[in-house]
Amino acid sequence: MNRIFSGIQPTGNLHLGNYLGALRNWVRLQDTFECLYCVVDMHAITVWQDPAALRDSTRTAAAAMIAAGVNPETSAVFVQSHVAAHAQLAWIFNCVARLGWLSRMTQFKEKAGKNRENASVGLFAYPNLMAADILAYKATHVPVGEDQKQHLELARDIAQKFNNDYGISLFPIVEPLIFGPATRVMSLRDGTKKMSKSDASDYSRINLADDADAIALKIRKAKTDPEVLPSTAAGLEGRPEAANLLGIYAALADRDIETVCAQFAGQTFAGFKAALCDLAVATLGGIGAEMQRLQADPGFLDATLREGAERAQALAEPIMREVYEAVGFLARDPQRG
Ligand code: TYM
C-alpha cells in the first residue's frame, strides 16, 4: 500500500518555494494516496525558537497548508510533538544511523556554519528525526523540494540498516517525489540563492501570506539581467534570475519551461513580469486571505490538529509495537503484544 508523509517547519514565513516545491504537490497527491501532513515543531527547535512565536507559527503553518488546499478531512493534518512516536522512533534511529552519515549532510554544514561545536545535538541528529517522521507510519512516498533529497537518501539508508541489523523487513524504502518545474525556487534578489524563510530581505521571497499588492511589488523589484528572454530553455544557461522567474511562471501556469520560453521568446522582462504578476496574483492571491480567515479561528485550527494527531497516532501505534519488539524491548503489556 502507498502512504504519503511530508512535513514543513513552522519557522518564519512560508513562501512560494514551499508552495511550488511541496504544498501544491501535497494537494495533488491527496486524491490518490492516504496522506499525512505534519507541522514539524520538533525540527524547528533544533535552532532557538521563541516559545510564544513558535506556538503562533505552528498555527500559521497549519493555516497555510489548509489555505493552499490540503483537505484535513481526507489527509491527516497534525503537529509533530502531538504524536509521541516521532520522538520514540527518532531515538532508536539515533542508535542505527552512523556519525559518519550525519557528518556528510550538507544542510547541517550550512546551518551549523563555522561554529560547529556550538550547534545543538538536535541539529546534527535532525535527519534521524526526519526518517522517524516518515517511517513511524511506514510511509512509502515523500513529496518534497530538491533541498530535502539528501535527507531522504539517509532515511532510505536508515530503513535498510534497521531491516538488516534486526533481520526483519519492517520498514519500506521510501521514494522521494520531487516533481514540477520549480523543485528549487530561488531568491528574487539573487538567482543563485535558494528562496528561504530565513533570508533577511522580505523582497527575496513571495510569502503565502502576502496580498496582491505585495506580490506585484516583489515581482516588479525582482532582479533580472539586461538580455531579452530566450526562445528555448537552453538559452537560460548562465542566467539564474531569468531561469528562476521562467520556472516560477511555468509552475504557476502548469506548463513546462520550453513552452513558456517559446511563449515569451524575444520579449523584455517588463512585459514578462506584467504577465507573471497577473498569474501569481490569480493563483496565490486567495491563499493569503484564506490564511487570515483560518487564523482568526484558532479553535477550529486546534480542533483540526487534535483530530489529525489522533488519526496519526492510531496509525503509528501498531508500527511502534512492531519496532519495540524487533529491537528487543520488553513489552509493558504482554496482552497487547
Ligand atoms: P522546510 O520547512 O524547509 O520546507 C518545507 C518544504 O518546502 C520545500 N522547499 C522548497 N522547495 C522549492 N524551492 C524552495 N526554495 C524551497 N524551500 C523549501 C522543502 O523541500 C520541503 O519539502 N526537513 C524538512 C521538513 C521535514 C520533512 C520531514 C519533510 C521534517 N520531517 C519528513 C519530509 C518528510 C524541512 O525543513 O522543510
Side-chain angles (χ1 to χ4, degrees), residues 200-239:
S201 166
D202 201 49
Y203 285 104
S204 69
R205 63 180 162 260
I206 293 175
N207 301 310
L208 292 183
D210 284 345
D211 62 16
D213 289 345
I215 295 173
L217 180 66
K218 288 175 180 180
I219 292 175
R220 272 203 305 280
K221 282 188 171 281
K223 188 176 169 200
T224 55
D225 61 40
E227 311 290 320
V228 294
L229 294 172
S231 56
T232 63
L236 292 168
E237 191 65 34
R239 300 180 65 186

Side-chain angles (χ1 to χ4, degrees), residues 5-11 15 17-22 26 40 43 80 107 111 126 129-130 133-134 142-148 151-152 182-186 194-197:
F5 181 96
S6 200
I8 195 159
Q9 289 198 61
T11 45
H15 52 70
N18 298 129
Y19 180 68
L20 294 179
W26 297 7
V40 293
H43 277 108
Q80 189 182 32
Q107 191 162 303
K111 285 203 178 170
Y126 181 113
L129 176 58
M130 208 169 135
D133 294 341
I134 302 162
V142 184
V144 285
E146 183 70 40
D147 61 343
Q148 297 301 317
H151 287 157
L152 294 186
T183 55
R184 189 175 173 83
V185 178
M186 308 308 277
K194 194 178 71 169
M195 184 177 283
S196 132
K197 298 176 190 130

